Amino acid sequence: MAGKTRQSKAKLQSAAFRRTRSDHSKELAADYVELIADLIDERGSARGTDVALRLGVANATVVKMLKRLQDMGLVTQEPYRPIALTGEGWEMAETGRKKHQIVERFLLALGVGEETARIDSEGIEHHVSDETLRAMGRFLARQIS
Amino acid sequence: MAGKTRQSKAKLQSAAFRRTRSDHSKELAADYVELIADLIDERGSARGTDVALRLGVANATVVKMLKRLQDMGLVTQEPYRPIALTGEGWEMAETGRKKHQIVERFLLALGVGEETARIDSEGIEHHVSDETLRAMGRFLARQIS
DNA sequence: AGTCGAATTTAGCATTGGCTAAACCTCTGT
DNA sequence: ACAGAGGTTTAGCCAATGCTAAATTCGACT
């Protein structure tokens, strides 16, 4: 009995872990893209320094990351120019913002303080499936009525 | 006006991001430790291969990681012997399990399916503050009554 | 127009977390 | 007693994400 049970359990669990881990790089990309979108909306343009400052990271790190984002087709950039998002980049930013908003509002509705809701939603956002997001949406809808 | 507002916003946000990122290595450690605890409870001992299988990772990776966990004072191990947890390791595992359980039960109570609850709780677990955890606990308590 | 300061990029390095392949132990069964 | 299977470790590699320091470019102000 042990054999089969063991194996299937392992397979199930490893899938969950693998997914959690493989998401890290996508998370980072999403954070950058979302932030860039925010900066463009707030101030008309996004510069490397602003991104570095807000992410708490060195300028050089941002440059390197932007290259990767460019390879992923999320941003475009000419040297020494502000950062622009591609269509795909905007889409990703929009999706992320919606997700973020739902999670944050959900936490607030749950009775969590503002500061904590802000911080936790940042961390949670990328690990919430669409199904869970819908459940949060339903909860919010119920609360409002 | 822009100057000051900008800076304080940046500081707040970078703190949140930095925290999210710096947690990654702790998360990983917690995953390993929790899994080792589970294996010991389920089968009496935890071997490297089991850990590798469940985490979906190569044996060599586990060995390397175990060295780091040993340096962190979470596990002890003699070569070619099964893995043991230190007191601190057990504590961490226990804390993690409690957290995990609350999050998973919370998601289920929210109406999320079993499979998704399992996967999402794995990802969310490490990003949930104590405050949010308490809010989830309150929600569960309300649901039961 | 020329210069200086600020932003950007490049270069080179470190750490983390992965992998494969090969060498090495342990234990079990004959 | 020992051979072989299976678990463990070592060695050496790679990619991602950070950093600092130095070089470069841009733009604004005499």
Side-chain angles (χ1 to χ4, degrees):
Chain A
M1 153 223 131
K4 246 188 187 163
T5 306
R6 187 144 91 216
Q7 289 230 341
S8 59
K9 185 163 204 167
K11 212 174 289 179
L12 278 178
Q13 202 169 18
S14 73
F17 281 124
R18 233 193 332 272
R19 183 178 133 167
T20 302
R21 265 197 316 279
S22 86
D23 279 354
H24 280 179
S25 117
K26 280 173 204 162
E27 273 173 54
L28 235 206
D31 280 345
Y32 270 86
V33 167
E34 232 178 293
L35 174 53
I36 291 166
D38 286 348
L39 286 169
I40 293 176
D41 284 353
E42 277 173 34
R43 330 240 286 274
S45 79
R47 290 173 320 158
T49 309
D50 303 321
V51 174
L53 191 64
R54 290 240 195 144
L55 287 178
V57 123
N59 280 343
T61 303
V62 171
V63 173
K64 219 183 266 189
M65 201 59 202
L66 286 179
K67 257 174 214 141
R68 219 163 301 149
L69 295 180
Q70 211 163 3
D71 290 346
M72 296 187 217
L74 297 169
V75 314
T76 57
Q77 200 195 192
E78 297 139 85
Y80 297 96
R81 283 286 115 83
I83 309 156
L85 291 179
T86 63
E88 205 184 333
W90 280 111
E91 250 178 68
M92 176 182 269
E94 212 34 63
T95 306
R97 292 205 265 209
K98 268 184 207 145
K99 232 181 196 183
H100 192 123
Q101 218 183 27
I102 291 178
V103 173
E104 187 164 350
R105 284 201 313 213
F106 174 78
L107 290 178
L108 289 171
L110 202 64
V112 170
E114 277 186 36
E115 183 67 8
T116 305
R118 199 174 49 73
I119 295 178
D120 282 17
S121 64
E122 195 73 63
I124 291 173
E125 170 183 355
H126 304 292
H127 301 280
V128 168
S129 63
D130 284 350
E131 185 185 344
T132 298
L133 212 59
R134 280 194 298 274
M136 289 180 174
R138 282 197 301 275
F139 179 84
L140 283 171
R142 256 180 279 144
Q143 290 305 96
I144 287 168
S145 61
Chain B
M1 153 226 137
K4 246 188 185 164
T5 306
R6 189 143 90 217
Q7 287 232 341
S8 59
K9 184 160 205 169
K11 211 175 287 178
L12 277 178
Q13 201 170 19
S14 75
F17 281 124
R18 232 193 334 273
R19 183 178 132 168
T20 302
R21 266 197 315 281
S22 87
D23 279 353
H24 281 177
S25 118
K26 281 175 203 160
E27 272 174 55
L28 235 207
D31 281 343
Y32 270 86
V33 167
E34 233 180 292
L35 174 54
I36 291 166
D38 286 348
L39 286 169
I40 292 176
D41 285 354
E42 276 173 34
R43 333 240 286 272
S45 78
R47 292 171 320 158
T49 309
D50 303 322
V51 174
L53 191 62
R54 292 241 196 144
L55 287 179
V57 126
N59 280 342
T61 304
V62 171
V63 173
K64 219 183 264 189
M65 201 61 202
L66 286 178
K67 256 174 215 143
R68 221 163 300 153
L69 294 179
Q70 212 162 1
D71 290 346
M72 296 186 216
L74 296 169
V75 313
T76 56
Q77 198 192 193
E78 296 140 85
Y80 297 96
R81 281 287 112 86
I83 308 156
L85 290 179
T86 63
E88 205 184 334
W90 279 111
E91 249 177 70
M92 176 182 270
E94 212 33 63
T95 306
R97 292 206 265 209
K98 269 183 207 145
K99 234 181 195 184
H100 193 123
Q101 219 182 29
I102 291 178
V103 173
E104 188 164 350
R105 285 201 312 212
F106 174 79
L107 289 178
L108 289 170
L110 202 62
V112 170
E114 279 188 34
E115 183 67 7
T116 304
R118 198 173 50 71
I119 294 179
D120 283 18
S121 63
E122 195 73 63
I124 291 173
E125 168 184 356
H126 304 292
H127 301 280
V128 168
S129 64
D130 285 351
E131 186 186 343
T132 298
L133 212 60
R134 280 195 299 274
M136 289 181 174
R138 282 197 301 275
F139 179 83
L140 284 171
R142 255 180 280 143
Q143 289 306 94
I144 287 166
S145 62

